[in-house]
Amino acid sequence: MELMQFTAVVLLTLLTLKLLVLPSMVTGNMVANHARWLMVISLAMLAIQFLLQYKLGLRAMGVTQAVMLNLVFFIPASWLFSVAVLLLQRQGHITKWDRWIGLWVWIVALVLISVAATIDGQPLLSETPELFWAEVAASACYLVMQGYYDWRHITNLRAMRQALDNYYDQDMHHLLRWMRLSVLILPTLALMVPLLIFVNHPVLAIFSLIFFGGIYYMVDNFCSYIVSSAPKKVLEAEASEEQEKMKEKKLLHANIISNEEVSDEQMKRVNRAVDLWIKKGGYLQNGMKLPLAAEEIGVPQYQLTNWLRQKKMKYNEWITCLRIEEAQRIIVEHPDWSNEAIAQHCGFADRSYFQRVFKEKTGKTPSDYA
């Protein structure tokens, strides 16, 4: 047990130091810096918690004593970590409820433990039924808090993926892969916390390995994410989507367009323009973002978005289907073309991406299709 606690202190300290050396790489990104500092504090609190466990030997004294210290540090650490992820997802714009619910849960947990330790008339680190049930209630509050944050993370992640799908002509989900896995890891770790703090058994070592492996993955990939171009790409997609929504609302409010025009005559006009653009092969240009496609088609971006929405298609899905159809034609008419040449002609980013998407859409590889 002592070895596990010492290892946890070393790992958490190293991860904290890794976050501290990031400032020069994220200069100017206030949101990333804010999230980074929240994670620094979160990891530091966990490191202190395990250091105290290691020094004081509370596990040897009994479960209740260790649980008390764990709750005092685990709740705020999870709160700050969850808020850090929310800040990245929402570009810093989060509600007061999102920001402070963790603090209120922490206060409730501290009050429960303090009251239980006071009314039993026993020393603070004594095994008493009152303190045990207070810790159970505090753990339940923690799980509710983490459940709320997990729901917010999933909701925001879906919105981010939708913005990417409706802006870029390629599948950009890889930009959010670490976040998607982190959103799954956080509730898993939350469910493990009661086991980690209430169980005093050799199996605890297995839970600990999973717990610290999850923390390492999230922090390491957070560092890679914020120093990459991914946040800017996500922001570009979300900003474009929001800008077009506001533009359409202003036009509706000013009676420049009507709801009937948006849903009927306007869609017919867009449909004609799109058909002409497709005949010209406009979709074969690589890097065809939604604003550029709307400009080349000759319609406002929000109209193209509404047209796609009526067809229940996302922008990158629509473009990919058109390119796959062209690739199928090329394979039949030009069997001598290489996959590299077909991918370049059809507007795919590279050969491997073309082969993967072709297999997903047709169920066959390009060579099998031929």
Side-chain angles (χ1 to χ4, degrees):
M1 183 62 66
E2 289 77 10
L3 177 60
M4 182 194 73
Q5 292 169 343
F6 177 77
T7 303
V9 173
V10 173
L11 174 63
L12 293 167
T13 301
L14 291 175
L15 290 176
T16 303
L17 291 174
K18 181 171 185 176
L19 286 169
L20 287 173
V21 300
L22 283 177
S24 60
M25 303 180 188
V26 293
T27 302
N29 191 336
M30 298 301 294
V31 173
N33 269 317
H34 191 178
R36 177 178 64 87
W37 277 109
L38 290 179
M39 286 194 175
V40 166
I41 298 171
S42 174
L43 292 176
M45 295 186 78
L46 288 177
I48 292 171
Q49 184 268 140
F50 281 104
L51 180 61
L52 291 175
Q53 292 278 11
Y54 176 72
K55 289 293 185 180
L56 300 178
L58 295 183
R59 281 284 179 179
M61 297 174 62
V63 173
T64 299
Q65 290 80 356
V67 168
M68 187 186 307
L69 185 64
N70 285 337
L71 286 171
V72 169
F73 285 94
F74 266 130
I75 292 175
S78 295
W79 161 45
L80 295 175
F81 204 103
S82 297
V83 172
V85 175
L86 274 181
L87 285 171
L88 287 181
Q89 291 181 325
R90 299 299 304 150
Q91 305 297 337
H93 303 294
I94 64 175
T95 65
K96 290 183 179 180
W97 183 257
D98 290 339
R99 192 180 297 273
W100 300 115
I101 184 176
L103 176 62
W104 290 110
V105 169
W106 188 26
I107 292 173
V108 169
L110 293 176
V111 170
L112 286 171
I113 293 172
S114 300
V115 171
T118 302
I119 63 175
D120 60 25
Q122 299 295 321
L124 180 62
L125 294 180
S126 299
E127 293 274 3
T128 65
E130 292 84 358
L131 191 55
F132 172 78
W133 286 111
E135 291 168 345
V136 169
S139 298
C141 291
Y142 163 76
L143 290 176
V144 171
M145 176 201 77
Q146 195 58 55
Y148 170 80
Y149 279 124
D150 293 335
W151 168 69
R152 295 290 290 137
H153 290 155
I154 292 172
T155 302
N156 291 329
L157 184 59
R158 286 175 179 170
M160 295 170 74
R161 293 179 66 176
Q162 180 175 325
L164 291 172
D165 288 340
N166 288 322
Y167 186 75
Y168 293 100
D169 64 335
Q170 310 281 351
D171 183 354
M172 304 294 282
H173 290 180
H174 62 279
L175 299 178
L176 303 176
R177 187 176 295 120
W178 83 272
M179 193 177 291
R180 183 171 67 252
L181 291 175
S182 295
V183 166
L184 294 175
I185 290 172
L186 280 171
T188 302
L189 298 188
L191 292 173
M192 281 187 178
V193 166
L195 296 174
L196 287 168
I197 63 181
F198 282 106
V199 175
N200 196 4
H201 189 274
V203 75
L204 181 62
I206 298 176
F207 291 133
S208 300
L209 288 175
I210 298 174
F211 182 81
F212 295 118
I215 291 178
Y216 174 82
Y217 172 85
M218 289 188 293
V219 174
D220 184 65
N221 283 274
F222 165 82
C223 295
S224 300
Y225 177 78
I226 64 175
V227 299
S228 70
S229 61
K232 291 182 179 179
K233 291 180 178 178
V234 175
L235 177 60
E236 181 182 349
E238 291 182 328
S240 176
E241 184 178 54
E242 186 63 26
Q243 182 179 358
E244 291 305 310
K245 285 181 179 179
M246 292 298 297
K247 185 183 297 184
E248 184 177 5
K249 286 181 180 179
K250 288 181 179 179
L251 292 173
L252 287 169
H253 183 71
N255 293 322
I256 297 175
I257 61 173
S258 65
N259 288 317
E260 290 75 17
E261 288 176 322
V262 170
S263 61
D264 189 14
E265 181 60 33
Q266 188 182 90
M267 293 302 100
K268 293 179 181 179
R269 187 166 60 252
V270 173
N271 200 63
R272 291 192 295 269
V274 167
D275 286 343
L276 181 60
W277 181 71
I278 291 175
K279 289 179 181 178
K280 294 178 179 178
Y283 58 91
L284 299 177
Q285 179 182 339
N286 179 250
M288 178 68 67
K289 298 176 184 177
L290 178 63
L292 179 58
E295 181 181 345
E296 291 197 354
I297 292 171
V299 298
Q301 182 177 327
Y302 75 87
Q303 290 184 8
L304 181 58
T305 299
N306 288 333
W307 181 80
L308 288 167
R309 189 179 297 121
Q310 283 196 353
K311 291 185 171 294
K312 297 181 179 179
M313 294 187 72
K314 298 174 182 176
Y315 173 68
N316 71 347
E317 179 186 1
W318 174 56
I319 292 293
T320 298
C321 287
L322 292 174
R323 290 172 176 172
I324 290 296
E325 290 176 3
E326 175 66 10
Q328 290 174 308
R329 185 188 68 81
I330 291 296
I331 290 173
V332 172
E333 296 183 4
H334 302 279
D336 57 319
W337 282 32
S338 66
N339 287 339
E340 186 77 38
I342 297 173
Q344 185 175 2
H345 169 78
C346 295
F348 290 101
D350 52 55
R351 177 177 56 83
S352 60
Y353 178 71
F354 160 64
Q355 292 173 325
R356 176 172 66 82
V357 173
F358 192 92
K359 179 70 178 294
E360 290 175 358
K361 297 295 183 181
T362 67
K364 297 180 180 180
T365 64
S367 57
D368 290 339
Y369 188 84

